[in-house]
Amino acid sequence: MADQELWTELLKQMHRRYQAVDEVFRQTKEIADALSRDDRMAAQMLLGMRQEELDRLTESKEKIYLLLECADQQERTEILNLLEGKCKASLEASFEEKKIGEIGENIRRNLEKIVALDRMISVKLAGKDSFYKQP
């Protein structure tokens, strides 16, 4: 796969990944809202729907890692840092590289918000048996 093709395909996959993360975030907020209304039935239903999106996230990650097999070790490390939002693309980077870095950063921020909401949901649903209450 040519270098430009790789970056273009990675950008497409990152867009898909961002959409899935955004949907997980939206659904997680809906679950929290349902629990704040004490509507456990709606929360359970939404948890099932959210699992489908989490499965899409896993699938998108697998596709990205397959694409990374086309890159050499140094480029793979650079790409992973962009994908995970750990760094920004250099000024002379291509459009795709810059966008991947931006999307990676947005995904990282949304995942942090999801974890915070998920912690609250878990404590509300499981109480002292919550995953987050374990030492």
Side-chain angles (χ1 to χ4, degrees):
M1 183 177 283
D3 201 38
Q4 184 58 43
E5 264 184 271
L6 172 64
W7 285 101
T8 301
E9 191 56 37
L10 282 169
L11 181 56
K12 288 179 190 175
Q13 290 301 322
M14 285 298 283
H15 275 293
R16 288 184 185 116
R17 187 163 175 73
Y18 180 76
Q19 289 171 336
V21 168
D22 197 45
E23 185 61 19
V24 169
F25 182 51
R26 186 188 67 73
Q27 289 174 341
T28 304
K29 287 192 304 187
E30 286 183 19
I31 293 165
D33 290 344
L35 288 174
S36 72
R37 296 186 313 269
D38 239 6
D39 188 351
R40 289 184 180 263
M41 181 84 89
Q44 290 297 330
M45 183 183 74
L46 288 163
L47 280 167
M49 291 168 52
R50 187 178 81 155
Q51 185 58 49
E52 292 172 20
E53 290 302 322
L54 291 171
D55 293 342
R56 278 185 48 204
L57 271 176
T58 300
E59 184 180 309
S60 73
K61 188 174 189 175
E62 289 169 358
K63 287 179 181 177
I64 287 170
Y65 277 91
L66 282 174
L67 288 169
L68 289 177
E69 290 179 10
C70 299
D72 63 41
Q73 184 60 40
Q74 182 180 350
E75 188 177 35
R76 189 176 304 139
T77 301
E78 174 189 337
I79 293 169
L80 281 171
N81 285 331
L82 290 171
L83 294 173
E84 295 170 2
K86 291 181 179 178
C87 70
K88 294 186 184 283
S90 65
L91 292 175
E92 56 276 345
S94 70
F95 169 80
E96 289 83 2
E97 289 175 68
K98 289 176 184 175
K99 288 305 286 181
I100 287 170
E102 289 173 22
I103 294 169
E105 194 173 333
N106 290 336
I107 288 172
R108 183 183 50 77
R109 276 195 229 113
N110 276 355
L111 288 173
E112 289 170 359
K113 291 175 187 176
I114 290 168
V115 169
L117 277 172
D118 197 57
R119 178 176 283 118
M120 182 199 71
I121 290 167
S122 178
V123 170
K124 178 97 174 171
L125 286 175
K128 65 181 173 87
D129 296 326
S130 168
F131 170 79
Y132 296 103
K133 286 287 187 176
Q134 297 177 358

